[in-house]
Amino acid sequence: MGKETGFLEYDRKDRTYAAPEERVTHYREFIVPHSEEGLRTQAARCMNCGIPYCHNGCPVNNIIPDWNHLVYEGDWKNALEVLHSTNNFPEFTGRVCPAPCEAACTLNITDVPVTIKSIECAIVDRGWQEGWIRPHPPTRTTGRTVAVVGSGPAGLACAQQLARAGHSVTVFEKSDRVGGLLRYGIPDFKMEKSLINRRAVQMEAEGVIFKTSNEIGVDTSMKSLKENFDAVVLAGGAEHPRQLEIPGAELPGVRQAMEFLAQQNKRNAGDDEARAAPRGSLTATGKHVIVIGGGDTGSDCVGTSNRQGAASVTQIEIMPQPPEKENKLLTWPDWPMKLRTSSSHEEGVDRDWAVLTKRVVGENGNVTGLECVRADWTDGQLAEVPDSAFTLKADLILLAMGFVGPVRRGMLDQAGVGLTDRGTVDADVRDYRTSDERTWACGDMRRGQSLVVWAIREGRQCAASVDEALMGVTELPR
């Protein structure tokens, strides 16, 4: 806890942002952090809860009251140690996690939860600034080898835990740089990629070997992995996007969000256009952009389109508009369904809900519009509203409708592991083992499209299972 009466004495004050008109001129992070005194005041608001529901709200089970109290006391170094005991990469979650912990905070009953996410981010940023975060190479080696496929948050967390347990870990990544969707799916203005780079350097010092531009199932076979490693962990994500199955969706102006976002991230990293956009440049500059999908990926497309100089940006969602405020008696401490406005939305976008797409309009092979109708969700059943057709002007349509599961071609076809009805790798959360006794799976490849914080949790727990299978016992935390 922080100060016993802190929640009565201090109001919630979160981090602020640079002004929209300034931040859309660049791709850097634009959060304005608290002062140290401001952070200690916010940490003081943490109550002496009989049951700290924030623990259960956080997928990695961060020990939130403990490090809040340490921040309040000014003991930042020990706060960092407590934070790292449950989360390998709090600088990632402190930036891109939607903070279900804050939804579960007791003070959220009155809409003023502790600024948990901001404090978490400040602790780890302080740790890097002070030089407290160093490599932790193992004190002994086991002689066992593990291949981790995928360098997203699940793969990185799993690899780091296993390396610290003394195993020889090699991470295979199909892209040219480490990070998975952290690298190429999240815009730099939300999370700068130097954060991934310095963790990769730390992990290499701990013994992890990274092999990039190496796609398992294409460049290296699954058979080869099984022959050369004692264990294989599948952490390749869920990258098969949902398709738009309407007439005209085959036009070249209808593209997947991840292609659009990845191209800009590669440009920001210094890649020339041939390397950043091998299929041809995909930009929103001067175009009327429609983003289909109301989630975080859609929001990222909005922010990127604005920075590229789109003529207009419209975001549509098939589901009805959520309420602006949830019913706390029904939802707390669970994650509520309510209207959320991101920083990208604040930068400029027209948002519309309960919209069903019908046809992409084209002329001479170019997208010119999107025909839509209003959707009626009476009793949870989808129906078209009669005489509600309308057409949106469009030059570029970005599909941010989520993912249906992992890509099966290549690695999964060769792996021979069982799949669920949803197409994800079949492995439970007790041991993360697949139908092949020497193969494990974690993260989105196992659970489907989810959050970075869930991927970190699964990577850590999977590492404990692998370590126990290889050694007969494990000291790695779950």
Side-chain angles (χ1 to χ4, degrees):
M1 60 167 289
K3 184 179 180 182
E4 288 187 358
T5 57
F7 71 99
L8 297 173
E9 298 176 33
Y10 309 121
D11 293 332
R12 173 185 165 96
K13 292 183 180 179
D14 209 345
R15 300 173 291 188
T16 58
Y17 299 139
E21 59 271 19
E22 186 277 326
R23 67 191 192 228
V24 296
T25 63
H26 60 78
Y27 289 90
R28 301 184 302 277
E29 291 182 12
F30 50 80
I31 286 176
V32 180
H34 277 299
S35 65
E36 179 172 349
E37 186 59 33
L39 285 162
R40 292 179 65 180
T41 297
Q42 291 304 302
R45 298 184 64 246
C46 189
M47 302 170 66
N48 188 13
C49 298
I51 299 175
Y53 286 95
C54 56
H55 285 188
N56 290 334
C58 175
V60 292
N61 304 122
N62 275 334
I63 313 171
I64 294 163
D66 292 44
W67 45 255
N68 272 334
H69 182 73
L70 290 166
V71 168
Y72 168 61
E73 295 287 343
D75 191 351
W76 291 85
K77 193 169 185 179
N78 276 324
L80 177 67
E81 184 174 344
V82 173
L83 178 56
H84 267 148
S85 70
T86 56
N87 188 349
N88 294 66
F89 313 118
E91 65 269 42
F92 302 164
T93 52
R95 286 168 167 82
V96 302
C97 183
C101 54
E102 292 189 18
C105 175
T106 302
L107 286 174
N108 191 44
I109 295 175
T110 54
D111 280 327
V112 286
V114 176
T115 57
I116 299 169
K117 179 177 174 179
S118 297
I119 296 169
E120 173 186 45
C121 195
I123 293 170
V124 67
D125 285 354
R126 175 75 174 266
W128 284 109
Q129 292 164 9
E130 298 287 350
W132 296 333
I133 301 176
R134 299 188 178 95
H136 294 281
T139 56
R140 62 179 180 84
T141 57
T142 65
R144 302 300 179 91
T145 58
V146 183
V148 176
V149 183
S151 66
L156 291 177
C158 185
Q160 185 168 61
Q161 293 294 94
L162 288 169
R164 290 176 173 179
H167 304 301
S168 176
V169 181
T170 302
V171 176
F172 293 86
E173 170 55 52
K174 67 179 180 181
S175 297
D176 56 349
R177 297 179 177 94
V178 169
L181 289 187
L182 287 171
R183 172 78 63 179
Y184 289 132
I186 296 175
D188 288 9
F189 56 80
K190 287 177 66 174
M191 193 185 85
E192 294 181 7
K193 302 310 177 276
S194 59
L195 305 178
I196 304 172
N197 298 342
R198 66 188 182 188
R199 280 295 182 184
V201 170
Q202 180 198 38
M203 291 174 64
E204 286 177 329
E206 294 170 347
V208 176
I209 298 170
F210 290 103
K211 291 191 176 182
T212 56
S213 300
N214 193 320
E215 184 173 358
I216 303 303
V218 178
D219 302 298
T220 300
S221 69
M222 276 296 297
K223 182 174 182 290
S224 175
L225 287 192
K226 292 181 180 180
E227 288 175 347
N228 289 285
F229 292 89
D230 296 314
V232 177
V233 176
L234 306 180
E239 296 182 310
H240 188 198
R242 182 171 284 107
Q243 302 296 321
L244 182 65
E245 297 179 353
I246 61 175
E250 73 282 355
L251 288 172
V254 181
R255 307 289 277 272
Q256 288 292 339
M258 281 303 152
E259 181 184 8
F260 175 69
L261 296 173
Q263 282 194 14
Q264 187 56 55
N265 281 8
K266 289 182 178 182
R267 294 186 193 104
N268 294 345
D271 289 356
D272 59 31
E273 204 61 19
R275 185 176 177 185
R279 292 184 55 206
S281 294
L282 177 59
T283 65
T285 308
K287 297 177 181 177
H288 297 282
V289 179
I290 295 178
V291 179
I292 303 178
D296 288 340
T297 301
S299 171
D300 294 343
C301 289
V302 170
T304 301
S305 295
N306 283 326
R307 282 162 178 75
Q308 290 182 354
S312 68
V313 185
T314 303
Q315 184 179 20
I316 60 175
E317 165 63 49
I318 192 172
M319 299 300 293
Q321 181 174 342
E324 292 192 7
K325 181 176 171 57
E326 73 273 28
N327 185 334
K328 294 290 176 63
L329 293 177
L330 293 177
T331 62
W332 183 88
D334 296 325
W335 181 250
M337 177 62 70
K338 67 177 183 178
L339 180 64
R340 291 178 170 84
T341 299
S342 72
S343 59
S344 290
H345 294 142
E346 294 170 351
E347 295 162 2
V349 64
D350 291 325
R351 303 170 74 185
D352 203 354
W353 288 266
V355 175
L356 183 63
T357 59
K358 297 297 289 182
R359 183 172 74 95
V360 177
V361 183
E363 184 176 325
N364 299 323
N366 297 315
V367 170
T368 60
L370 180 65
E371 290 184 0
C372 308
V373 295
R374 295 290 170 187
D376 179 14
W377 284 96
T378 303
D379 297 326
Q381 299 298 312
L382 174 63
E384 295 182 16
V385 176
D387 302 319
S388 66
F390 62 99
T391 300
L392 296 170
K393 186 175 182 180
D395 304 302
L396 175 64
I397 298 174
L398 299 174
L399 308 182
M401 304 180 300
F403 302 86
V404 296
V407 174
R408 294 184 61 174
R409 183 189 68 255
M411 181 181 70
L412 285 188
D413 283 344
Q414 295 179 16
V417 296
L419 303 178
T420 67
D421 293 340
R422 298 187 300 134
T424 56
V425 178
D426 191 7
D428 62 37
V429 293
R430 183 181 60 83
D431 61 10
Y432 293 87
R433 216 166 197 160
T434 70
S435 56
D436 182 292
E437 64 175 11
R438 291 176 53 208
T439 305
W440 285 255
C442 61
D444 288 6
M445 181 160 275
R446 190 205 68 83
R447 69 180 287 116
Q449 178 187 358
S450 190
L451 304 175
V452 168
V453 66
W454 273 106
I456 294 173
R457 171 196 173 111
E458 293 215 351
R460 288 171 59 88
Q461 293 188 340
C462 181
S465 175
V466 173
D467 185 42
E468 184 175 18
L470 295 177
M471 306 303 296
V473 66
T474 184
E475 296 181 357
L476 291 177
R478 284 180 52 87

